[in-house]
Amino acid sequence: MVKEPLGFVQDELANLQEQGLYNHIRTLEGPQGAWVTINSEKMLNFCSNNYLGLAADARIKAAAKIAIDEFGVGPGAVRTIAGTMTLHKELEDTLAAFKKVPAVLTLQSGFTANLAVIGALVGRNDTIYSDSLNHASIIDGCRLSRAEIKVYDHCDMDSLKARLEEPVSGRRLIITDGVFSMDGDLAPLPEIVELARRFGAMTMVDDAHGEGVLGSHGRGIVDHFDLHGQVDIEVGTLSKALGVVGGYVAGTKELIDYLAQRGRPFLFSSALTPADVAACTEAVRILAEDDSLVKKLWENGRYFKDAVQKLGFNIGRSQTPITPVMLGEAAQAAEFSVRLSNHQVFAQSIGFPTVPHGKARIRVMVSASHSREDLDYGIEAFRKVGKELGII
Ligand SMILES: *Cc1c(COP(=O)(O)O)cnc(C)c1O
């Protein structure tokens, strides 16, 4: 008998369930915020990347509504064919000024920004040096480029140097996340820039989790390390701290001009909608004017980390407000998450393949919109569940 061709799907799903790796996606009955509504119940939200609470900000919603009235809802097609709107230009100029770079190109997401850049900069016969914990969108961008990929040990500059010393021909590109999203640690960017210079490599940093978090007013990791003008390519997202959706690339005018000619997701996928773009511009303006949300985020991060560490949890090596509560096997982390939800705390567990086997965790994302009472409520839930499961 011929086997059912799609039959493997059911087996794979069963496997995921068995290993505690199946993702149960929750449905929110309202906006993102410090609290969310799930199954008609209010839950403390510890899982969004909405770091600054801008996802439902009144000023940003108003900007999006005005843009819909003035520009409609759709971009028409890709920008190279249907044209680009003044709104997109305005966002790119506003972002470039904020990031202190000559130029910016926006894309549909951080994911497509990585695909656009990497494939345009390197190809067959070129070499990429990639941190072993880089984000999936970087990994896919590297694979699609067809360049040779040399993976170096996570944030290990001896390992990067050893890989750079291997003889190659063609162009060289070093790529790293700025903030590593699962652990909250930072790439040693000054050392990377130094090695890149020595070996004639381009440097690219993906600042998705540094945006709105690191540096003055949340300008990102390049500002944090005061490396303006020394990192060739910055990729960022508008979907995390900035609260909306979209991605971008920042760099020299020539680089941006080139990417608009050669970046495949730019050429073959439609632009962000007017509402998205106007919302993003407003979010960047808010950040440029006022750093109080960034300060609040860090204050909240420090408070939460201190408290759970004192309770006896292992919170890894985070240097940012991201707080990974390390729980070992995926099944244990999944059980912890379920029990937290019994206490009205929404904090998803993260297991393989997002993190290595045995390193499953609850990654807590506090935000600037959490009050002190909210954090205390969450900390108490972690204490109770930690005791129930004999972890603390
Ligand atoms: C989240 C993330 C992305 C993807 O950004 P989107 O805008 O959601 O597509 C890319 N890179 C890194 C490092 C990320 O953390």
Side-chain angles (χ1 to χ4, degrees):
M1 207 181 78
V2 181
K3 260 181 81 176
E4 178 63 48
L6 259 182
F8 76 95
V9 171
Q10 204 171 352
D11 300 341
E12 291 291 330
L13 284 171
N15 274 342
L16 291 174
Q17 294 271 18
E18 227 162 77
Q19 295 169 61
L21 297 175
Y22 183 87
N23 277 321
H24 294 274
I25 302 176
R26 311 302 170 89
T27 304
L28 307 188
E29 291 142 16
Q32 283 286 353
W35 291 78
V36 289
T37 308
I38 298 172
N39 292 329
S40 307
E41 206 165 13
K42 275 190 76 185
M43 309 272 289
L44 180 66
N45 187 7
F46 271 169
C47 349
S48 91
N49 295 323
N50 179 23
Y51 285 111
L52 302 176
L54 293 176
D57 184 277
R59 295 163 289 182
I60 298 179
K61 290 197 289 186
K65 287 176 191 163
I66 293 171
I68 289 176
D69 285 341
E70 290 182 0
F71 286 86
V73 291
V78 301
R79 290 162 71 181
T80 46
I81 293 172
T84 195
M85 290 172 172
T86 48
L87 282 180
H88 294 85
K89 291 290 205 195
E90 193 185 359
L91 171 58
E92 287 164 350
D93 292 346
T94 308
L95 255 178
F98 179 67
K99 298 286 289 181
K100 302 186 178 176
V101 291
V104 159
L105 186 72
T106 55
L107 288 111
Q108 308 81 2
S109 70
F111 201 113
T112 60
N114 275 324
L115 302 191
V117 176
I118 301 169
L121 293 180
V122 289
R124 262 189 244 281
N125 306 319
D126 298 329
T127 309
I128 295 169
Y129 303 85
S130 178
D131 187 288
S132 61
L133 293 188
N134 274 345
H135 188 261
S137 59
I138 295 179
I139 295 171
D140 287 6
C142 292
R143 287 180 181 154
L144 278 172
S145 76
R146 299 193 172 114
E148 187 185 344
I149 303 161
K150 291 182 187 281
V151 175
Y152 61 92
D153 296 340
H154 176 57
C155 289
D156 181 336
M157 293 301 97
D158 291 333
S159 170
L160 172 58
K161 182 161 170 285
R163 312 279 2 220
L164 283 163
E165 278 166 347
E166 294 162 13
V168 294
S169 56
R171 297 177 207 146
R172 310 169 124 196
L173 173 64
I174 304 173
I175 307 183
T176 185
D177 274 25
V179 176
F180 290 85
S181 59
M182 291 303 139
D183 294 287
D185 55 336
L186 302 188
L189 208 51
E191 288 81 0
I192 290 175
V193 165
E194 171 65 33
L195 280 173
R197 207 173 278 145
R198 188 147 28 122
F199 288 90
M202 300 175 273
T203 43
M204 168 174 161
V205 64
D206 177 343
D207 206 16
H209 284 272
E211 222 77 69
V213 176
L214 293 173
S216 152
H217 289 240
R219 287 190 164 80
I221 193 166
V222 169
D223 190 80
H224 170 82
F225 283 120
D226 198 16
L227 288 170
H228 291 288
Q230 298 184 59
V231 174
D232 298 303
I233 307 116
E234 284 178 74
V235 162
T237 180
L238 302 159
S239 70
K240 289 177 177 145
L242 288 160
V244 193
V245 74
Y248 69 87
V249 188
T252 63
K253 285 206 162 28
E254 292 74 24
L255 173 74
I256 296 312
D257 191 21
Y258 175 69
L259 291 175
Q261 306 300 317
R262 282 296 174 84
R264 289 174 68 84
F266 183 81
L267 298 174
F268 298 107
S269 182
S270 294
L272 290 170
T273 73
D276 295 330
V277 173
C280 290
T281 304
E282 183 62 20
V284 178
R285 283 195 186 125
I286 290 171
L287 262 190
E289 272 169 25
D290 178 7
D291 66 350
S292 61
L293 290 174
V294 179
K295 289 196 167 128
K296 181 82 188 301
L297 168 69
W298 279 88
E299 199 182 297
N300 281 351
R302 274 191 284 267
Y303 183 78
F304 185 83
K305 280 159 96 174
D306 247 25
V308 285
Q309 203 160 28
K310 277 197 192 115
L311 286 175
F313 286 104
N314 170 7
I315 58 166
R317 54 172 181 244
S318 176
Q319 296 165 266
T320 61
I322 294 172
T323 309
V325 178
M326 309 302 285
L327 295 166
E329 291 312 318
Q332 165 108 314
E335 177 63 22
F336 203 105
S337 171
V338 168
R339 287 178 184 236
L340 281 176
S341 66
N342 294 339
H343 295 289
Q344 280 69 53
V345 173
F346 179 39
Q348 291 284 62
S349 61
I350 294 174
F352 185 80
T354 311
V355 294
H357 283 296
K359 298 236 167 136
R361 65 199 67 181
I362 305 264
R363 185 187 50 155
V364 176
M365 306 295 275
V366 300
S367 81
S369 57
H370 287 115
S371 67
R372 189 54 60 89
E373 294 72 46
D374 294 338
L375 297 178
D376 286 339
Y377 183 92
I379 292 158
E380 177 56 15
F382 268 82
R383 191 189 66 75
K384 283 185 191 145
V385 176
K387 293 267 184 234
E388 282 166 26
L389 293 178
I391 293 166
I392 55 167

